[in-house]
Structures are given as C-alpha cells and as structure tokens.
Amino acid sequence: MDEVIISLEKGTTCSSWNYSGHRLATASLDGTLCIFHSTHPSSSSSFTCTTKFKVHEGSIVKIVWLPPDYGDAVACICADGTLSLWEEVAEGIDNIQWKQCKVFDKTPGQVLDIQFGVSALNLKLVAAYSDGQVKVFELLDPLDLTKWQLQAEFRNVIDSVSKFGKASCVTASISWNPQRGNGQQSNFVLGFNSDIPQLNSCKVWEFDEDHQRWLPVAELATPEDKVNQVYAVAWAPNIGRPYELISVATSDGISIWHVGSNPEIDGRLWVEKVALLSGHCGEVWQMEWDMSGMTLASSADDGVRLWQSNLKGVWHEQATLEPTT
Amino acid sequence: MDLVINFTFFLKQDYDCLFSGTYPTLHSKLVDFQEELITLQVIEDDSKYWDALSSALAVGWLDVVVKLLRLHGSYRPDQIGIRETENGLVEAVALLITNMPRMRLELSDGKLGECYKTKPDFMKAWEKWRGQLTKLDCTPYWLQCDHQQTREGLKNMLQIMLGNASKLSDATCHWTELFISHLLYIRPFTSGLESMFGLAQKCVQIKPVTSHHKLMNLLTGILGENTEVVLAECSRSFGPWMIAHAMELLTAGSSHAEIVLHQEDSKLGGICMEELHRLAYAQVLSSHELTWQIAPVYLVTCPKQGMGMLENIFYRQPVQHKKVLLKSLEICRLYELDIIGSNLMKFAGVHDWKHGKKGSAVYWLQQAHDDVRLNKIAKQLFNFVGKSVSDDSLKQWEGLIELLSSETRTAGGLEFLNRYRDFRRHLQQVYAGVADDAAKQAAEALISLMKNSSTPKQFWLPLLYDSLKLLNWREHPLFNVSQTNLLMNKLQELSLAKLLPDYIDADLPSEALSSVRLALATNLGRAILEE
C-alpha cells in the first residue's frame, strides 16, 4: 500500500520532520526553504507547501527543527558553512510569516552539523566545524531566539593536550541524548569524518556542573576501528532500559553500542559494542531511532534499512526500503 | 475430549474456507459428492458414497454419516422386504454411530453421541461400545449380505471406529484430519496436550504438505506446547494485535509459558516478553491519530517501560491543535503524568505566544507553572509600559495585565502591573482636567505603588516624573509630610541603585531627576506648612 504524501521539487537537498511529524521542512540548491503542512490539521495523510522563502544565496545542506518548547523554528546550515535560525511568527491569525532571528558569526571553520538539546535550564546548541572545533551555545531568553551565548568550545578528543596538525573535516554527526526530564544531565555524542584519526572516533560528552565544563565520558570505538571516519551517529530514546543505546556508522558498517547510564568511579561510562551491522553499499547518510529505541533506520545510496534486535539480543536487518528510481 | 470435539467442530465449520481450495480436503470431497448425489440412481453401488461415509466418520461428523447411511437403498419401502439383513446391518452401524460415547456435559441439538460427564463413566461406556463394534464385526450376518459394496463399506466403517490406523489414513486427506481421527478412535482418553505434538508430527509424515499454511504452523506450535514457536508464528503471520492478546491465552494454565513470558531478560532491555509485545502493539496504535488514545491502556500494564513510551508518545502529539492538547491533558491527568502535562501546556503556550495569541499563551504558561517564561513575558511588559508612560497604547496590554495578575502565584511583579494600570487611569483623568478627586486617587495610587515591594526599581523615577503635576498640585499639597519623605527616600535609594550592575536606566529626559527632586522639596515645604 504505497501512497505519495509529498512530492518534492527537483533540486531538493535535504528535509526534516518537526517533532510531531505534521510539518516537513525541505531545502534546495538555490537556498529556498519550503514548509509543508498536513492538509488536515490533526492527520498526516497528505501535505502541501504553505510557505516558501529564500534563506541564502547558495545551497542549503541541512535543516534542523528546534524543540517545540521554543516555537516553530528551524536552523539552516548552508553549503558555505553559514548557520541561521528562522522562526514562524504571526501578529494575527492570518499574518503568519517566517523571520530570520539569528545568523551565527562566520568562523574560520564551516558549520558541518548542529543539534539542539533541551536541558532542565535552557536550550543548548552544539555545532561541529570543519576545522574540528566543537562549540556549545546557550539560548539566553527562552522566548527570544536572537540571543545566544557561547558556552564552551573544545575539540572532539579524549586527551585535550594531544597535538595534531590542521584538521580538515568533511562531515560531522552529533546526536543528543533524546531523553527529556527533570535533572537529566546534558550529554551528546559526536563523531567526525576527517583526516585526523583522534578527532574521528565517537565520544560521549557530558556537562560537568561542578566545574562548568564539558568532559568526554566515553569513546565508542574499539582499538581497531578508532581510525575509522564516522559518517553518522544516533542516540536511541531510552524508555526504561538500564543502559543507553547508540549507533555509529563508519566504513566498517553500523555498530551498536551499549553505554552505561551512570558513570563508574573514574567518571567514565562503560561501553560495549554489541553488534556490527553490514548491508549498506557505501556511506551511511543518516540514522534515526524509533520512539521506543527498538528499531533503527539507516539510509544510504541503496535505500533505507530497518534494524532490530531479536529475542536473543542479536541485531539483524528487519526490512529494506529501496528507492524506486 | 472437549478439545477434540471443538476441533472436530472447527474442521467442519471453518477450516475449509481457511484452506480455500489450496489443498484437497475431506470437506471439499463431501461437497463434490453432494453435487453428484442427486444424479445417482443406486447410491450404494457407487464407491464415492462409501468413501464419503468413511471420510466423514473418520473426523467424527456423525450426523452427516447417519443421514447419508439412511439414504441407503435398503431403506426404500420396495426393497426393505428383500434386503432385510442388509438393511439390518446398515441400521446396526447407524445405531452404533448414534450411540458413540462422548465425554462432555451435553451436545447441541442435532449432534449425535451419548454424553458422559466423568472419565471413568466414559471409559466404561467406550469399552462397552467397542465390544459392540467387535461383536458386529464378527457377526455371521455378513455372510448373508449379498451386496458387496455395502458389506465392504460397512466393514470399513467398523474398522475406522475400531481405530484401524491404515483405514483412518485412507479415509482422510489432510494431516489435521488424520490427526483428529487418531484422537477420536485411537486415543480417545487423551487429556490436555499430552503427546499431541508427536502425533501431529507422525500425521504430517504420513500426509505431507508442500506448503505450510500459517495457521498449521501455529497449530504445530500450540500442540508442541512451544511458547516461543507460538509467539514467533503469531508475530510473523498475524501481526502485533494477535501477539499482544495471545499472551493471556498462552499463560492460562501453563506454568512454563508463564515463566517464559514473564521472565525479565537483559537481552530485551530488562523487560519480559509480555511487556515487549505490549509495547510493540502500543507503538503501532500510537502511529495513527484515531488510535493513539488507546495506546495508554496497554502501556499502563507495562511496569518497566510503559510510562517512558507514553511520555514519548505525548511528546509527539501536535499540541498546537487545542483538541489534541485537551485530550492529551485529560490522559495525563488520568495517569498522573503532571510533568508531561506541564510540558505539553508549555509547548502550546510558546506556540500561541509566537502566533499572536498572547492571552491564550499566558493562560497555558500559567497552567504549566512556567515561571521562567512568564517572568520573561512580564519583563517584556514592564519594558513596554515603562517606555510608553504617556501614551495610551497601554490599552492593548490591559487584557493581558488582567490575565497575568488573575493568579496569585504568577511571576513576581505582575501584581505591580495591575496597580500601575489603576494609577495610569487616574492620572489620565487628571491630565484630562477632571476634578480634584481624581488627583487624590492618583496620589494614593502612587503611594501604594511606591510602598509596594513588587514595584520594580526601574519604574520609580518614571512614576515620579509622571506625577510631577500631582507633586505640584496648585490647590493644596496632595502628599503629606510622611508620604513625601517616603518618596524622597525612594529617590535616594534609586541613586544608590544606579551603582549596581543590573540597573536599567529609564528612558527619560536628563532633567527628570532634578525636576522630581525640586517638586518633592517644594511639596515637602508646603506639606509642613499645611500641617
């Protein structure tokens, strides 16, 4: 039972669903952003493009929706590495428009990936740059998306004194621990696709409230695959598991990691690689978990694959969705 | 035995449509014969008649068999005289079939057999019945029966009832039919699922099938009392509804299944199989706008991960639609998920705030007890009213101020806005040239504002500056000595506060402070003289 719910224009480069799956933002080569709405407000049956606006002169490479506690807003990363935020505002019921609310300052490095994390106190934005830098920004006023403050800046390395040359990163992938909840610590996982092995491997970063700094608390790589470039990472929702689940896609395949929920005596989290899934031909573009954290979807040139663990805890391919053309 | 009878009933009622012509079955054989029946002149001469009889008998369709037997030619009035022995034998077999012992409380109308309520009674009756079968099988009357087909057909039927395995195999088509014939005639005392799996395997060997029907796979699992196989078959062939509901059936009366299904397993993320399948079904329900509200019913029975899943379902609801929000809040209240409810109201409040529905936004943020955002809104209002003291655009904010101060526990300082509005009204009347009373009320409102600790410091000077006309009231001083002292003290405090880092300077003319000072000093002088 196939049904087309949206037809995307030629030149569409990326897309992103909002939190409820009732709106889709798509972006194109010419820097235009489209917002699709489901025609019936409470269903997700068919979609029409209700708003279209120019974000940038060049191509847009990634769109990320902000969490719903901060309104209907998206962040756009453009091919030249600029990062801007746009939000939907309305004076009256009919006067809905999208306004640019922030353009982040240009830096020597281009923005490769960003992700938003909701902590108990505020909204955080992690951005990974092509020179290997990682920046964390904080929103100062929850009702005003124009005011951001740089909270931290670091590199994706375990040992902060390690020395290496100038990094050149092609892509980066960030995923926040998706769990909402009071008292939840801020943590995210990050990996690079670069020419510096130390930067590449996925690290779990956690904010140390006592010393007000970000610390790497786990590294998701075995000694053999430490050098591998990371294409995508995804932190699974945890609805009650005693451990966290994180998937990491590299040239070897997709590895599934169990990560301890609480730090051990040395402050680190225990990690265990439980599966290495192969099946995709070529680079994995993106990975996404379902809301229960039991099914992983991965996409590559050859289509989308769904992965699950069976009753014996063995991960396997559950389904394949192949591109039609 | 109940099982056997239900099974027999199932075979007769439902299973033919399940197989829908894929396999040759006993049922289809009988249906075919039924069509030929009207064209047959001498029914007992046709081998298909005897085939149909033995087949129906093998699976226990006794009423069909007896009805068919009574169509035998020897019953015809013109034949009964010359075929007396033959008819006697037919009737004897029909009678034995009618009296077949069955272990059950009662039979529905039209069903044949003698009911026995207890196993010993049934066993006794069974032995007696078998004795009668053997006796009939050995009777010399067979020699007097000239009609060969009848003789052989009836003898075959007796063999079936006596449990002759090869005859049962000949009479049946599908392995399930053979299986039931064994239960009926070879293992009539079987109780529960005792050795049924072995029997099923044997029957499949004798009557192999090329393709496995999904229901047959499930049946094999059930007969083998193999909970894992049953679950795997359920999930593969029948989807998540079946598997979520099959749990209760599987655990009923089986302690093994109880253990398998309720054992928490680290491989499943620390939950048991029952919970896993309920979560899976709830997730299916949650994917549609018409069914997501049913998901909580299943999730509350999941002790470990149900609430976590429910939380994630709620956070995916489009709460900017009020109907969805209200429904979600109702469910949150029902399951005491206060924090989630608050977050949903926060989402709705922020959405409304950004979309120009400011009153509704404040209402939802108040309900969500989101003091951080309410304070920000209050601050925006302060800044707004602070800047526009002398124009009347305050009106557009009035409703909001009303709403913000309607709840006592809202963000600090909102109470001030209410007092401030009153002050503004009186002052406007004064400027409009209305009577002396308005000036007095405005003066009282000013004192009340300045006395109140919730009035932000940034407003003190603008308030006093706006009140210059009151301070310089021609007719008589509106403020007495102590009131003037209070105002002067506030001005002093303000000068000190200016040194603090977070002080926000009011957008006033540079001479404002000196004008106020002068007015206060003049008023003090006049007040002293008056007193």
Side-chain angles (χ1 to χ4, degrees):
Chain A
M1 201 178 65
D2 294 341
E3 193 190 342
V4 176
I5 54 166
I6 300 177
S7 297
L8 300 180
E9 279 177 26
K10 213 175 169 187
T12 302
T13 48
C14 55
S15 66
S16 174
W17 291 98
N18 78 337
Y19 75 102
S20 64
H22 286 75
R23 302 183 102 184
L24 180 79
T26 67
S28 59
L29 279 171
D30 64 359
T32 313
L33 197 80
C34 277
I35 306 291
F36 287 81
H37 260 301
S38 61
T39 42
H40 185 265
S42 58
S43 85
S44 49
S45 52
S46 66
F47 290 77
T48 47
C49 177
T50 50
T51 316
K52 203 170 182 179
F53 55 95
K54 190 98 171 164
V55 164
H56 195 65
E57 286 312 313
S59 169
I60 302 170
V61 291
K62 183 159 182 144
I63 315 167
V64 183
W65 285 87
L66 271 79
D69 343 24
Y70 298 89
D72 288 304
V74 292
C76 296
I77 305 175
C78 299
D80 63 358
T82 51
L83 170 63
S84 57
L85 300 186
W86 296 75
E87 77 170 326
E88 186 186 77
V89 284
E91 290 305 325
I93 293 166
D94 299 322
N95 189 23
I96 293 175
Q97 51 181 316
W98 282 78
K99 278 187 179 165
Q100 188 182 67
C101 40
K102 173 81 183 170
V103 180
F104 285 82
D105 292 339
K106 281 229 171 198
T107 53
Q110 295 180 356
V111 179
L112 298 176
D113 191 21
I114 61 143
Q115 287 300 331
F116 294 97
V118 183
S119 75
L121 293 171
N122 54 17
L123 179 68
K124 286 192 167 73
L125 160 63
V126 188
Y129 293 81
S130 58
D131 55 2
Q133 287 296 108
V134 181
K135 289 183 187 176
V136 183
F137 297 91
E138 276 183 329
L139 182 65
L140 295 173
D141 177 344
L143 289 172
D144 183 359
L145 296 178
T146 61
K147 291 173 188 153
W148 292 83
Q149 178 178 281
L150 180 67
Q151 186 214 18
E153 189 171 357
F154 49 88
R155 286 184 308 179
N156 190 39
V157 286
I158 290 281
D159 177 9
S160 58
V161 294
S162 64
K163 282 201 169 77
F164 44 82
K166 197 170 170 247
S168 169
C169 310
V170 189
T171 58
S173 185
I174 308 163
S175 182
W176 280 86
N177 178 347
Q179 221 51 34
R180 230 171 225 281
N182 287 359
Q184 184 77 33
Q185 278 176 317
S186 289
N187 42 18
F188 64 87
V189 61
L190 166 68
F192 274 103
N193 171 3
S194 80
D195 54 355
I196 309 283
Q198 294 99 307
L199 281 180
N200 287 344
S201 71
C202 271
K203 282 109 192 160
V204 176
W205 291 88
E206 192 165 283
F207 192 64
D208 171 13
E209 292 286 347
D210 296 340
H211 303 98
Q212 291 291 301
R213 59 181 178 167
W214 286 89
L215 291 176
V217 287
E219 185 174 18
L220 304 182
T222 57
E224 301 81 53
D225 55 31
K226 260 187 184 173
V227 292
N228 282 342
Q229 288 148 343
V230 172
Y231 302 143
V233 290
W235 194 311
N238 186 352
I239 56 170
R241 256 182 279 105
Y243 50 85
E244 297 295 330
L245 205 54
I246 297 173
S247 60
V248 179
T250 66
S251 52
D252 282 355
I254 299 170
S255 17
I256 307 283
W257 290 82
H258 284 185
V259 180
S261 296
N262 296 308
E264 313 216 306
I265 303 162
D266 61 355
R268 292 295 195 89
L269 304 175
W270 66 261
V271 295
E272 187 193 354
K273 184 173 169 178
V274 293
L276 179 65
L277 308 167
S278 48
H280 277 301
C281 308
E283 216 172 280
V284 169
W285 302 339
Q286 201 184 342
M287 288 188 294
E288 196 96 44
W289 289 91
D290 73 331
M291 70 160 103
S292 63
M294 292 183 197
T295 309
L296 173 72
S298 60
S299 66
D301 273 337
D302 57 351
V304 175
R305 283 162 205 265
L306 302 181
W307 311 88
Q308 277 182 344
S309 158
N310 66 12
L311 299 177
K312 294 191 176 81
V314 179
W315 284 85
H316 63 283
E317 189 183 299
Q318 185 70 25
T320 316
L321 304 153
E322 276 169 12
T324 45
T325 48
Chain B
M1 215 42 206
D2 256 9
L3 177 81
V4 178
I5 288 163
N6 286 336
F7 203 172
T8 314
F9 190 66
F10 156 73
L11 281 181
K12 199 167 165 185
Q13 294 289 312
D14 305 310
Y15 104 119
D16 200 62
C17 59
L18 279 172
F19 290 122
S20 61
T22 326
Y23 312 102
T25 62
L26 208 142
H27 186 276
S28 55
K29 199 161 119 181
L30 285 178
V31 170
D32 291 347
F33 177 67
Q34 201 177 9
E35 281 166 16
E36 278 182 47
L37 199 60
I38 11 167
T39 60
L40 290 176
Q41 289 291 325
V42 187
I43 195 170
E44 62 273 21
D45 286 354
D46 198 308
S47 62
K48 282 182 189 158
Y49 171 66
W50 295 104
D51 275 354
L53 275 170
S54 57
S55 291
L57 182 63
V59 291
W61 298 347
L62 306 184
D63 47 335
V64 176
V65 180
V66 171
K67 269 181 202 153
L68 271 177
L69 269 181
R70 297 260 157 84
L71 296 176
H72 193 272
S74 65
Y75 282 103
R76 279 163 54 185
D78 58 331
Q79 299 279 315
I80 203 147
I82 45 172
R83 295 165 76 176
E84 204 177 348
T85 314
E86 190 184 342
N87 183 253
L89 287 166
V90 175
E91 186 54 26
V93 171
L95 206 64
L96 280 169
I97 292 169
T98 313
N99 295 335
M100 178 173 165
R102 314 189 78 166
M103 205 181 102
R104 47 184 323 175
L105 294 174
E106 57 186 12
L107 282 166
S108 56
D109 288 343
K111 296 277 172 285
L112 302 178
E114 290 275 320
C115 289
Y116 293 92
K117 287 170 189 162
T118 62
K119 202 169 178 182
D121 287 348
F122 170 69
M123 285 167 88
K124 222 155 88 186
W126 183 263
E127 288 313 319
K128 192 179 160 198
W129 183 69
R130 273 184 65 98
Q132 287 166 340
L133 289 173
T134 319
K135 204 169 152 192
L136 182 62
D137 196 32
C138 305
T139 181
Y141 286 113
W142 295 113
L143 300 172
Q144 293 168 35
C145 176
D146 298 329
H147 195 266
Q148 190 198 343
Q149 285 95 329
T150 301
R151 197 172 60 234
E152 284 172 2
L154 290 176
K155 279 264 200 185
N156 191 44
M157 287 167 80
L158 285 176
Q159 285 304 308
I160 284 173
M161 287 189 280
L162 284 166
N164 181 324
S166 75
K167 299 286 181 202
L168 291 175
S169 174
D170 293 345
T172 49
C173 304
H174 195 265
W175 74 261
T176 50
E177 297 163 357
L178 179 63
F179 178 77
I180 196 66
S181 71
H182 272 251
L183 288 178
L184 277 169
Y185 302 109
I186 300 180
R187 306 180 185 193
F189 308 130
T190 307
S191 60
L193 292 174
E194 174 196 331
S195 67
M196 282 209 188
F197 183 61
L199 176 60
Q201 278 185 317
K202 196 173 127 190
C203 292
V204 174
Q205 259 175 18
I206 297 170
K207 300 215 173 272
V209 278
T210 45
S211 63
H212 279 275
H213 191 278
K214 56 185 182 182
L215 195 63
M216 290 302 117
N217 295 343
L218 179 61
L219 199 60
T220 320
I222 294 171
L223 293 175
E225 289 187 89
N226 192 333
T227 315
E228 287 90 343
V229 172
V230 172
L231 285 177
E233 287 302 331
C234 279
S235 90
R236 190 164 56 207
S237 310
F238 304 100
W241 179 87
M242 177 80 166
I243 195 150
H245 288 89
M247 293 292 166
E248 282 146 43
L249 287 174
L250 282 168
T251 49
S254 164
S255 52
H256 170 70
E258 182 95 20
I259 292 166
V260 170
L261 296 175
H262 290 155
Q263 199 167 39
E264 285 170 3
D265 190 346
S266 61
K267 290 181 187 112
L268 305 177
I271 53 171
C272 66
M273 269 219 260
E274 184 177 59
E275 180 161 350
L276 177 76
H277 292 302
R278 280 188 187 161
L279 289 171
Y281 182 54
Q283 194 172 359
V284 173
L285 287 172
S286 73
S287 65
H288 198 279
E289 49 155 339
L290 295 175
T291 52
W292 76 268
Q293 298 161 25
I294 310 168
V297 177
Y298 290 86
L299 291 174
V300 287
T301 64
C302 300
K304 292 229 156 171
Q305 300 189 357
M307 286 300 123
M309 174 88 111
L310 193 53
E311 201 170 304
N312 285 351
I313 291 177
F314 277 125
Y315 287 144
R316 278 167 174 74
Q317 296 310 313
V319 287
Q320 68 270 31
H321 301 300
K322 289 296 162 308
K323 267 187 182 172
V324 180
L325 174 66
L326 293 174
K327 188 75 212 173
S328 305
L329 293 177
E330 187 187 319
I331 302 172
C332 282
R333 264 195 294 275
L334 193 65
Y335 297 113
E336 295 173 354
L337 301 167
D338 299 342
I339 295 173
I340 300 171
S342 291
N343 276 331
L344 298 182
M345 291 189 279
K346 186 167 74 181
F347 296 175
V350 172
H351 180 270
D352 285 352
W353 181 256
K354 302 267 180 181
H355 288 82
K357 294 181 241 170
K358 302 217 183 289
S360 165
V362 170
Y363 172 77
W364 288 118
L365 292 173
Q366 280 177 339
Q367 295 296 310
H369 304 313
D370 188 345
D371 292 349
V372 176
R373 282 181 178 78
L374 284 171
N375 273 327
K376 293 285 177 191
I377 289 176
K379 201 160 182 195
Q380 277 191 28
L381 283 175
F382 290 159
N383 292 341
F384 180 82
V385 292
K387 276 179 193 157
S388 60
V389 167
S390 49
D391 67 51
D392 60 356
S393 59
L394 178 69
K395 269 187 184 159
Q396 75 175 83
W397 292 92
E398 275 202 359
L400 202 55
I401 293 169
E402 190 84 41
L403 189 65
L404 278 166
S405 51
S406 65
E407 284 220 352
T408 49
R409 64 163 306 283
T410 47
L414 287 176
E415 191 195 352
F416 150 76
L417 286 170
N418 222 11
R419 289 168 191 271
Y420 181 71
R421 188 195 48 192
D422 294 342
F423 167 70
R424 292 281 320 148
R425 277 188 192 149
H426 296 309
L427 202 61
Q428 271 166 3
Q429 286 173 349
V430 171
Y431 278 94
V434 189
D436 200 48
D437 279 356
K440 275 184 189 161
Q441 282 170 338
E444 277 167 27
L446 177 70
I447 294 298
S448 154
L449 271 169
M450 296 304 264
K451 268 186 180 168
N452 197 293
S453 59
S454 73
T455 304
K457 275 197 178 86
Q458 69 194 82
F459 279 86
W460 292 356
L461 188 57
L463 280 168
L464 290 168
Y465 186 65
D466 280 356
S467 309
L468 276 178
K469 196 167 179 174
L470 300 176
L471 291 169
N472 297 322
W473 200 248
R474 277 179 192 212
E475 286 76 13
H476 54 91
L478 289 172
F479 303 93
N480 63 27
V481 177
S482 69
Q483 283 172 332
T484 317
N485 276 332
L486 169 88
L487 299 178
M488 290 178 96
N489 284 339
K490 289 285 176 187
L491 208 61
Q492 181 63 25
E493 204 178 311
L494 200 63
S495 310
L496 295 172
K498 271 188 169 182
L499 305 170
L500 296 173
D502 61 346
Y503 178 78
I504 305 163
D505 210 355
D507 195 10
L508 288 175
S510 53
E511 76 282 1
L513 184 66
S514 52
S515 326
V516 171
R517 261 204 194 118
L518 182 63
L520 279 173
T522 317
N523 190 80
L524 183 65
R526 289 171 70 199
I528 292 169
L529 284 175
E530 189 122 314
E531 282 173 21

